[in-house]
Amino acid sequence: MTADINQPLDQEYALDRDCTTLSRHVLQQLQSFSAEAQDLSAIMNRIALAAKLISRRLTRAGLVEGALGFTGNVNVQGESVKKMDVYANDVFISVFKQSGLVCRLASEEMDKPYYIPENCPIGRYTLLYDPIDGSSNVDINLNVGAIFSIRKQEGDDIDGDARDLLQNGHQQIAAGYVLYGPSTVLVYSIGRGVHAFTLDPSLGEFILSSENIQVPQHGPVYSVNEGNFWQWEDSIRNYIRYVHRHEGYTARYGGALVGDFHRILFQGGVFLYPGTIKKPEGKLRLLYESAPLAYLIEQAGGKASTGTQKIMDAVPKELHARTPLFIGSKEDVELVESFIEEGVRDKKETTMAHS
Ligand code: P6P
């Protein structure tokens, strides 16, 4: 059964759809009740609980003492920490305690991974996450998100440096995000397509709203912070000049990766966060922002690139490694890559001409 919000709902279908919760969908996807299937279903259920708790806080943030604003601290990324960042980070830790599922959590907000002691003897999974993506939008009531990636726990990581996490995106067994917008939407994949669930506050459940999402092969949207124009390589500036001069492109940029990605997933186009001459590695993190979204976009028939290689093939040198990110419709990402390749060729020719 393909749940599509636009289909007329007969009674039986409506009831069955209301019962297609996230945990049931995972088991349907795996067509199994094996231990691993049950684990994944339970992990997704915990993530859904975290999303509900954070959504509740966000929808009342303006009324709750101490929910908004900055903590006065700076995180490992060198970014000022919002109170909502800390709250959301703690929620993810709390929902996995006493779960027996996840031994270790690695977050944008924590320098080192957090180990849940009672889970570690048996916990077979690591959760990597950005608890609030786009937190600059929180205080102005604009959309924010969370991004998550699930990897198997390899070895016992006794020295706590999580070296086993420094592997490419093919090590992910599941990935997804939560978009806190007019509605709260959870999008996930366990390698069998991309599926979206919408939170029904009256039920307190995420209900299937779009199944087997496929990104259009081309779309009109290009999503980039053009305020960085003069910090980019010439090749990126040439791409921007191209879309400025050609019909059929429109700029959309929300300042929160999850919202910009979600738009492109449904409407097509490309999101760009290029490196700059000063910071060639860009701003976005590989392990818990770019790799999970790359996992999703490839499942949806799209593409994700560092500009020179697939995001899914990139291997981080450290837990909080950053990467340039070009992600979205296959044709649109490949157009950006063609400008980057041309830039590399031009540089080689210039170098040869001067040698
Ligand atoms: P800039 C939010 O801080 C974030 O990590 C992403 O969600 C977003 O796409 C990007 O940074 C925005 O960065 O430099 O355009 O403000």
Side-chain angles (χ1 to χ4, degrees), residues 177-247:
Y177 61 86
V178 182
L179 175 58
Y180 303 104
S183 60
T184 295
V185 175
L186 189 151
V187 177
Y188 90 104
S189 176
I190 53 173
R192 297 163 189 251
V194 178
H195 316 286
F197 290 73
T198 299
L199 178 62
D200 181 336
S202 66
L203 288 174
E205 282 288 358
F206 280 98
I207 302 298
L208 182 65
S209 45
S210 294
E211 202 170 25
N212 297 315
I213 301 163
Q214 285 292 296
V215 62
Q217 285 301 294
H218 165 65
V221 173
Y222 72 99
S223 184
V224 67
N225 181 345
E226 295 200 37
N228 297 327
F229 185 86
W230 292 109
Q231 296 184 41
W232 293 329
E233 294 273 356
D234 278 340
S235 58
I236 302 298
R237 293 207 284 261
N238 291 335
Y239 165 76
I240 297 295
R241 292 183 182 107
Y242 175 91
V243 295
H244 284 174
R245 292 167 180 159
H246 287 74
E247 284 296 311

Side-chain angles (χ1 to χ4, degrees), residues 79 108 130 133-136 225 228 253 255-258 260 271 273 283-285 289:
E79 296 164 346
E108 174 184 310
D130 180 0
D133 165 71
S135 52
S136 58
N225 181 345
N228 297 327
Y253 193 71
L257 174 57
V258 168
D260 289 327
F271 173 91
Y273 207 102
K283 172 180 183 181
L284 299 175
R285 274 60 55 155
E289 289 177 322

Side-chain angles (χ1 to χ4, degrees), residues 113-128:
Y114 179 94
Y115 296 79
I116 305 181
E118 76 276 5
N119 286 358
C120 282
I122 52 169
R124 289 176 296 285
Y125 302 94
T126 295
L127 177 77
L128 299 101

Side-chain angles (χ1 to χ4, degrees), residues 9 28 50 53-54 62 64 77 103 125 140 154 198 214 218 225 263-264 266 281 316 320 339 351:
L9 289 176
Q28 279 175 328
L53 288 164
I54 296 163
V64 174
Q77 323 288 343
C103 166
Y125 302 94
I140 50 171
E154 294 181 11
T198 299
Q214 285 292 296
H218 165 65
N225 181 345
R263 177 191 294 113
I264 284 167
F266 282 86
E281 74 284 359
H320 300 290
F339 279 88
T351 306

Side-chain angles (χ1 to χ4, degrees), residues 7-298:
Q7 295 294 331
L9 289 176
D10 61 48
Q11 186 58 40
E12 183 190 345
Y13 177 78
L15 188 56
D16 200 45
R17 190 187 72 165
D18 280 352
C19 296
T20 307
T21 59
L22 189 55
S23 45
R24 167 175 149 178
H25 192 265
V26 171
L27 294 172
Q28 279 175 328
Q29 284 285 302
L30 293 169
Q31 295 170 345
S32 151
F33 292 96
S34 67
E36 182 168 1
Q38 298 279 5
D39 280 352
L40 265 180
S41 177
I43 288 172
M44 291 308 300
N45 221 19
R46 307 308 284 177
I47 290 172
L49 175 59
K52 288 186 265 189
L53 288 164
I54 296 163
S55 177
R56 182 179 67 176
R57 182 112 169 153
L58 284 166
T59 51
R60 301 173 63 246
L63 306 172
V64 174
E65 185 64 33
L68 296 176
F70 290 92
T71 61
N73 302 323
V74 173
N75 66 14
V76 64
Q77 323 288 343
E79 296 164 346
S80 297
V81 178
K82 288 282 184 72
K83 292 172 184 171
M84 195 62 74
D85 289 320
V86 174
Y87 174 81
N89 193 64
D90 292 348
V91 164
F92 274 93
I93 292 172
S94 297
V95 302
F96 280 103
K97 284 181 174 173
Q98 303 305 326
S99 70
L101 293 162
V102 167
C103 166
R104 184 176 51 174
L105 297 99
S107 156
E108 174 184 310
E109 297 305 327
M110 301 187 291
D111 184 13
K112 295 283 185 191
Y114 179 94
Y115 296 79
I116 305 181
E118 76 276 5
N119 286 358
C120 282
I122 52 169
R124 289 176 296 285
Y125 302 94
T126 295
L127 177 77
L128 299 101
Y129 64 110
D130 180 0
I132 292 282
D133 165 71
S135 52
S136 58
N137 281 354
V138 168
D139 293 359
I140 50 171
N141 194 36
L142 292 180
N143 70 267
V144 293
I147 307 172
F148 60 87
S149 170
I150 300 166
R151 294 180 181 228
K152 283 250 185 187
Q153 177 94 358
E154 294 181 11
D156 52 18
D157 188 20
I158 43 176
D159 49 3
D161 65 4
R163 266 197 301 274
D164 63 298
L165 293 177
L166 305 184
Q167 299 187 63
N168 67 36
H170 300 284
Q171 299 301 314
Q172 298 175 104
I173 59 171
Y177 61 86
V178 182
L179 175 58
Y180 303 104
S183 60
T184 295
V185 175
L186 189 151
V187 177
Y188 90 104
S189 176
I190 53 173
R192 297 163 189 251
V194 178
H195 316 286
F197 290 73
T198 299
L199 178 62
D200 181 336
S202 66
L203 288 174
E205 282 288 358
F206 280 98
I207 302 298
L208 182 65
S209 45
S210 294
E211 202 170 25
N212 297 315
I213 301 163
Q214 285 292 296
V215 62
Q217 285 301 294
H218 165 65
V221 173
Y222 72 99
S223 184
V224 67
N225 181 345
E226 295 200 37
N228 297 327
F229 185 86
W230 292 109
Q231 296 184 41
W232 293 329
E233 294 273 356
D234 278 340
S235 58
I236 302 298
R237 293 207 284 261
N238 291 335
Y239 165 76
I240 297 295
R241 292 183 182 107
Y242 175 91
V243 295
H244 284 174
R245 292 167 180 159
H246 287 74
E247 284 296 311
Y249 291 97
T250 188
R252 290 287 184 276
Y253 193 71
L257 174 57
V258 168
D260 289 327
F261 178 87
H262 191 72
R263 177 191 294 113
I264 284 167
L265 179 65
F266 282 86
Q267 297 178 352
V270 58
F271 173 91
L272 309 88
Y273 207 102
T276 60
I277 294 166
K278 282 184 290 186
K279 288 181 71 176
E281 74 284 359
K283 172 180 183 181
L284 299 175
R285 274 60 55 155
L286 177 55
L287 279 173
Y288 42 79
E289 289 177 322
S290 301
L293 296 183
Y295 183 92
L296 289 175
I297 205 71
E298 289 197 358

